[in-house]
Amino acid sequence: MLLSRDQAHYLFGVMRLGVGDSLALFNGSDGEWRAQVAAAGRRDGLLKAQERTRPQQDPPDLWLLFAPIKKARTDFVVEKAAEMGAARILPVQTAFTNSERIRRDRLQAHAIEAAEQCGGTFVPEVAELRKLDAVLADWPAGRQLIFCDETTVGARQTLRDAPSAQGWAILIGPEGGFSATERDRLLALPFVSRISLGPRILRADTAAVAAMTLWQSLLGDW
Amino acid sequence: MLLSRDQAHYLFGVMRLGVGDSLALFNGSDGEWRAQVAAAGRRDGLLKAQERTRPQQDPPDLWLLFAPIKKARTDFVVEKAAEMGAARILPVQTAFTNSERIRRDRLQAHAIEAAEQCGGTFVPEVAELRKLDAVLADWPAGRQLIFCDETTVGARQTLRDAPSAQGWAILIGPEGGFSATERDRLLALPFVSRISLGPRILRADTAAVAAMTLWQSLLGDW
């Protein structure tokens, strides 16, 4: 594997690795490998994969849709989604979303870092920001959407009686929740069910972890 | 209510409130009140409570025990615990804990801020840092402890078959988990049950939210 300038700087400049040193590698699809530094330059380098140390472990087919909020908390949502085993992360614009755009590359880098930190072998893709309406308009057939509604109670009930599905998704609202129009539209869609995350108002990153926990423990790989 | 210097600075200097303005107040035990500014100085001030706008809402009897880690992530654990409805937060030193002390006052301030942000009326107390061994040695009779063990599977099972208890607690390990000695000791205790948080390694603040979600949805107030 040829290293990019950033990778070479990190491994040889920051981590002080040299030729012959070992490290763990993953590319998101072939598991974890032990690799050895074969060449180390200031701006490039070469790693040789030697032995697979862990099989690829893909998460279940769960997407996380969320409305980007303040920058730092948007980073947290992506980080938490990667840790909790989201297969795909989709930022969506809602009526009360306060960002017009996102730095997709930066969010993708956060997802990679979270996977590295947590010893994962999979990195969820962060999609481009789209309007919620547009995402709902071409929703994939067979995929169920769980809508975390601050105005409901009865979380377990809904997920336990869950219909069979070809994939799932969770939708977390922005600060301020959803507009009445959005809520009505969501509840009228045949692939949408709603859950409650308890009587306390949760920040978006906390709500993402809580909703994914409920899903993972009942329908996922926990 | 007489204001402290910090409170007066925040309300009159930062938020620019003046005599006659209204705000929401909570003290952790009497619900939420609408109050009016009766006097506003640079270093002090007076608020008059006028009408209760929400009843006091205490969380269920759940403690969160966690091993303090890097400063920023310790703050997150406290913030998340307050959001998720912990009644008490107990920092504990374990074999692999990397902090010798905590700033209890700063952590308590984070818990207050989280309650404010989330519209809560209750603030969990942050206890002094103690050794896990000492906390276990004088464990309160009747309280069950849930140990989040990275080496187990079968989360739901354990909590669904949960014994009746006079209060609960959740124990989240540090980065690096628990030592073999600690794990053996925990599992030998009659009030301890263990749960799994899935096949991915979670950071401490994520694990805290996930464990509290499982508990709240099965045994708490969700």
Side-chain angles (χ1 to χ4, degrees), chain A residues 80 83 156 160 205 217, chain B residues 80 156 160 203 205 217:
Chain A
K80 299 292 177 226
E83 271 181 71
R156 282 174 295 164
R160 287 231 181 99
D205 55 321
S217 71
Chain B
K80 299 290 177 229
R156 281 174 295 164
R160 287 229 181 102
R203 283 154 158 161
D205 55 321
S217 71

Side-chain angles (χ1 to χ4, degrees), chain B residues 107-170:
Chain B
L107 293 180
Q108 187 66 64
H110 275 285
I112 294 171
E113 199 196 324
E116 288 170 352
Q117 287 282 334
C118 297
T121 49
F122 176 86
V123 177
E125 175 215 5
V126 179
E128 288 292 350
L129 181 66
R130 290 179 68 200
K131 285 192 194 303
L132 177 61
D133 279 349
V135 173
L136 295 175
D138 56 1
W139 191 252
R143 185 174 294 270
Q144 289 288 318
L145 177 64
I146 300 165
F147 155 44
C148 299
D149 186 356
E150 289 178 354
T151 67
T152 334
V153 230
R156 281 174 295 164
Q157 198 55 30
T158 319
L159 277 191
R160 287 229 181 102
D161 302 341
S164 68
Q166 288 158 325
W168 286 84
I170 287 172

Side-chain angles (χ1 to χ4, degrees), chain A residues 64 66 68 74-75 77-79 81-82 86-92 102-112 122-129:
Chain A
L64 181 76
F66 79 102
T74 298
D75 294 349
V77 171
V78 169
E79 175 187 306
R88 226 178 138 215
I89 301 172
L90 296 89
V92 292
I102 55 163
R103 285 279 310 274
R104 209 196 65 80
D105 55 341
R106 206 169 54 88
L107 293 181
Q108 188 65 65
H110 275 286
I112 294 172
F122 176 87
V123 178
E125 176 216 5
V126 180
E128 289 292 348
L129 181 66

Side-chain angles (χ1 to χ4, degrees), chain B residues 29-44:
Chain B
S29 59
D30 297 312
E32 185 186 271
W33 288 70
R34 188 164 54 75
Q36 204 169 37
V37 177
R42 290 187 57 179
R43 297 173 183 196
D44 49 22

Side-chain angles (χ1 to χ4, degrees), chain A residues 2-161:
Chain A
L2 280 169
L3 296 178
S4 71
R5 189 174 171 153
D6 285 354
Q7 289 169 330
H9 172 72
Y10 180 74
L11 290 181
F12 311 134
V14 180
M15 298 302 289
R16 303 274 167 196
L17 295 186
V19 171
D21 285 339
S22 283
L23 68 163
L25 275 190
F26 72 102
N27 64 0
S29 58
D30 298 312
E32 186 186 271
W33 288 71
R34 187 164 54 75
Q36 204 169 36
V37 178
R42 290 187 57 180
R43 297 176 184 191
D44 49 22
L46 183 66
L47 305 181
K48 287 218 164 131
Q50 298 191 302
E51 185 191 9
R52 194 164 81 158
T53 44
R54 285 199 303 150
Q56 176 64 21
Q57 192 193 30
D58 290 336
D61 189 5
L62 176 65
W63 297 357
L64 181 76
L65 281 68
F66 79 102
I69 22 171
K70 281 171 286 185
K71 186 164 152 285
R73 215 153 279 275
T74 298
D75 294 349
F76 290 155
V77 171
V78 169
E79 175 187 306
K80 299 292 177 226
E83 271 181 71
M84 290 294 299
R88 226 178 138 215
I89 301 172
L90 296 89
V92 292
Q93 279 176 306
T94 66
F96 301 153
T97 303
N98 38 27
S99 28
E100 288 301 307
R101 52 179 166 178
I102 55 163
R103 285 279 310 274
R104 209 196 65 80
D105 55 341
R106 206 169 54 88
L107 293 181
Q108 188 65 65
H110 275 286
I112 294 172
E113 198 196 324
E116 287 170 353
Q117 287 282 333
C118 297
T121 48
F122 176 87
V123 178
E125 176 216 5
V126 180
E128 289 292 348
L129 181 66
R130 290 179 70 200
K131 285 194 194 304
L132 176 61
D133 279 349
V135 174
L136 295 176
D138 57 0
W139 192 252
R143 186 173 293 271
Q144 288 288 320
L145 177 63
I146 300 165
F147 155 46
C148 298
D149 186 356
E150 290 179 353
T151 66
T152 333
V153 231
R156 282 174 295 164
Q157 198 56 28
T158 319
L159 277 191
R160 287 231 181 99
D161 301 342

